Amino acid sequence: MMNLMLAATSTVKELEKVPEHSLKELLDRAHLNIRFEDAIIFGIKLVVIYLIVRILTAITKYIFRHTMRKQAEKGMDVTKVMFLRQIVVTAVYIIGCATFLSLIPGMEKISNSILASAGILAMAVGLASQEALSNIVGGLFIIFTRPFKVGDFIRVDDDVVGTVVEITLRHTIIRNVENRMILIPNSKINSATIINSSYGDPSTCAFIEIGVSYDTNLDRAIGVMREEIMRHPLLIDHRTKEEVKRGVEEVDIRVINLGDSAITLRAWAWSATAADATIMKYDLFKSIKERFDREHIEIPYPYFNQIVKNEG
């Protein structure tokens, strides 16, 4: 213990005698062969890289946000701008990370040795990268082939129905009628069957199908249905000028089926959008049923006669 105290005392005295110009040399020898200047330079480079990445991402987001606002004011499609913004921001982050790793000697070798020693991890990373790449390529196909765009009302494989909110590098976001956000991978949505109600002419025809009994006067039932449909505020006239001249009815109603217990009447009613057509269809089911009740037009339903034999 006495020897340690004497050694510490002598070390302190030596430090007091060290001139200021040799303090740097002492620090260089004290940090595991890492030069003090190199450590400071490494820290400065790290801060500079961080600041450059933050500045570039902020400038990129500002430019794309300004561009999207201008295009939205002009009524133009902002889907491509949103997608390109994500690509540019991701590229900036990747370049920043790559630059940082290049400052650390041997980091690539260490990284490769870790992946080589963990075969399962390498396989998982490879599969994940493959899936991510397929989603990115799928997103590019969506952007440039334009089966749909942001704001379109679509149906995907008869399972998902809603409005496209955003198309990212990995997935497409759809808001359904319940205001829930549904995320579908781009690779999956690229191979799905899509019904785009906003593609081309957005006007939509709603099929209003009502069954009436076999003893019903069909002309009278058709007339009542047409009157109720014509009263609905969401109905639009989809006839061409030639059809108007020929006297074609604005709402066409025909018999489409002679069923077991009912005659099915179908009306073709047009509305401006798919959402309006859906609302109109539900409203008309109610109003036509109530009108049929007042007019004593029967909407039949199947019923059965049960015969019970008494063996006693």
Side-chain angles (χ1 to χ4, degrees), residues 151-184:
D152 283 0
F153 188 81
I154 66 173
R155 179 189 296 269
V156 182
D157 280 343
D158 292 331
D159 296 327
V160 178
V161 180
T163 303
V164 179
V165 176
E166 188 177 0
I167 303 172
T168 69
L169 290 174
R170 182 182 178 276
H171 49 250
T172 297
I173 304 175
I174 299 174
R175 181 174 56 234
N176 66 6
V177 293
E178 297 176 341
N179 200 33
R180 298 293 183 266
M181 298 299 178
I182 303 173
L183 283 67
I184 305 177

Side-chain angles (χ1 to χ4, degrees), residues 29-222:
R29 294 195 301 269
H31 294 283
L32 302 176
N33 295 326
I34 299 176
R35 296 181 58 203
F36 185 69
E37 291 181 353
D38 292 339
I40 293 179
I41 293 173
F42 178 83
I44 293 174
K45 289 181 178 180
L46 180 61
V47 172
V48 170
I49 291 172
Y50 174 77
L51 292 177
I52 291 175
V53 170
R54 291 299 301 270
I55 292 172
L56 288 177
T57 52
I59 293 174
T60 301
K61 291 179 180 179
Y62 172 79
I63 293 174
F64 279 99
R65 186 166 56 246
H66 181 72
T67 304
M68 286 189 294
R69 186 165 57 249
K70 290 293 185 181
Q71 290 193 353
E73 291 174 355
K74 296 178 181 179
M76 299 174 63
D77 181 22
V78 299
T79 306
K80 291 182 180 180
V81 179
M82 295 173 64
F83 193 80
L84 290 175
R85 180 189 65 178
Q86 295 190 19
I87 292 178
V88 173
V89 172
T90 304
V92 171
Y93 281 124
I94 292 174
I95 294 172
C97 292
T99 306
F100 168 70
L101 292 176
S102 67
L103 299 177
I104 306 175
M107 179 57 71
E108 294 181 358
K109 294 181 179 179
I110 296 175
S111 166
N112 293 334
S113 64
I114 293 175
L115 292 177
S117 62
I120 297 176
L121 178 61
M123 183 181 297
V125 171
L127 292 175
S129 301
Q130 190 177 31
E131 182 180 356
L133 181 60
S134 66
N135 287 326
I136 293 174
V137 174
L140 292 174
F141 280 140
I142 292 172
I143 292 300
F144 291 104
T145 60
R146 294 171 60 85
F148 56 84
K149 62 182 183 300
V150 173
D152 283 0
F153 188 81
I154 66 173
R155 179 189 296 269
V156 182
D157 280 343
D158 292 331
D159 296 327
V160 178
V161 180
T163 303
V164 179
V165 176
E166 188 177 0
I167 303 172
T168 69
L169 290 174
R170 182 182 178 276
H171 49 250
T172 297
I173 304 175
I174 299 174
R175 181 174 56 234
N176 66 6
V177 293
E178 297 176 341
N179 200 33
R180 298 293 183 266
M181 298 299 178
I182 303 173
L183 283 67
I184 305 177
N186 291 330
S187 58
K188 180 179 178 180
I189 202 170
N190 247 333
S191 60
T193 301
I194 300 172
I195 300 176
N196 189 347
S197 299
S198 303
Y199 195 90
D201 184 5
S203 57
T204 304
C205 181
F207 293 160
I208 315 297
E209 296 183 1
I210 304 289
V212 296
S213 63
Y214 272 88
D215 58 357
T216 300
N217 185 322
L218 294 180
D219 290 335
R220 181 165 168 265
I222 289 173

